[in-house]
Amino acid sequence: MSKPRFDDIFMELAVNLSKRSHCIKAQVGAVLTKETRIISIGYNGPPSGTHNCDEEFPGVGCPRDSKGSCSLALHAEQNAILYAAKNGAVIEGATIYVTLSPCIACARIIFSMKIAKVVFLHSYAQYKGIPTDEGVEFLRKFGVETVQYQPAAGFETVIQQGDPHL
């Protein structure tokens, strides 16, 4: 039996982290790595110490902004990057694994933090019903390697392409 690739391990972890989210609309997880080491993790949700959307707004979720996105939450990528920066981790040159491709705002943060590579599972554009993945296009335009995750042949994983919560 062959060992799993780090891509498979890190994406599987991102999927599992997404299950920690209290968002009732979409659960997203992220793993920030440097070479073969995890430097930070994150999932989408409001800032720590504020509230949990599924508890404060049961059944309907938190208020939405003008684009239909959660108005109170940080995205999984933002949480992973902020935690790493807060704790003094070197982010430049890192790779981030995320269960949903970055939105344009997250893409700008990823680029600004000099993250070298983004590996995503699902398309943000498909999830939002918009024509293009603006974040992916932005990252590629400015030289950040951005690829959709493909599991290794034969890799048994918890990753399910049809997960209704991403």
Side-chain angles (χ1 to χ4, degrees):
M1 175 179 269
S2 66
K3 293 180 181 183
R5 301 174 310 157
F6 281 104
D7 281 353
D8 298 317
I9 292 167
F10 296 145
M11 187 57 76
E12 185 173 55
L13 178 55
V15 168
N16 281 320
L17 285 166
S18 73
K19 296 171 187 174
R20 296 278 314 156
S21 172
H22 287 273
C23 181
I24 66 166
K25 302 286 183 181
Q27 288 80 41
V28 182
V31 178
L32 188 61
T33 68
K34 191 83 175 241
E35 298 169 5
T36 61
R37 302 290 183 216
I38 296 169
I39 58 174
S40 186
I41 59 173
Y43 50 88
N44 62 317
S48 181
T50 59
H51 71 279
N52 290 322
C53 297
D54 58 347
E55 295 167 1
E56 189 169 329
F57 309 103
V60 295
C62 63
R64 299 279 145 184
D65 65 17
S66 62
K67 293 183 179 181
S69 295
C70 177
S71 62
L72 303 175
L74 294 167
H75 289 189
E77 306 96 314
Q78 293 170 332
N79 269 324
I81 292 166
L82 286 168
Y83 187 81
K86 179 174 135 180
N87 289 292
V90 176
I91 299 170
E92 185 173 344
T95 297
I96 192 163
Y97 294 82
V98 64
T99 58
L100 190 62
S101 62
C103 68
I104 189 66
C106 287
R108 289 190 294 257
I109 292 168
I110 289 166
F111 176 77
S112 296
M113 295 303 293
K114 299 185 182 338
I115 292 172
K117 184 176 180 180
V118 176
V119 181
F120 67 92
L121 180 60
H122 297 290
S123 163
Y124 182 80
Q126 285 181 332
Y127 165 69
K128 292 299 265 183
I130 56 177
T132 62
D133 270 309
E134 298 168 318
V136 171
E137 289 178 2
F138 174 89
L139 291 166
R140 288 178 177 159
K141 178 179 180 178
F142 292 105
V144 178
E145 184 181 357
T146 307
V147 297
Q148 188 160 15
Y149 168 76
Q150 296 297 321
F155 181 68
E156 297 297 323
T157 180
V158 298
I159 299 170
Q160 297 178 3
Q161 296 292 337
D163 186 340
H165 293 76
L166 304 173

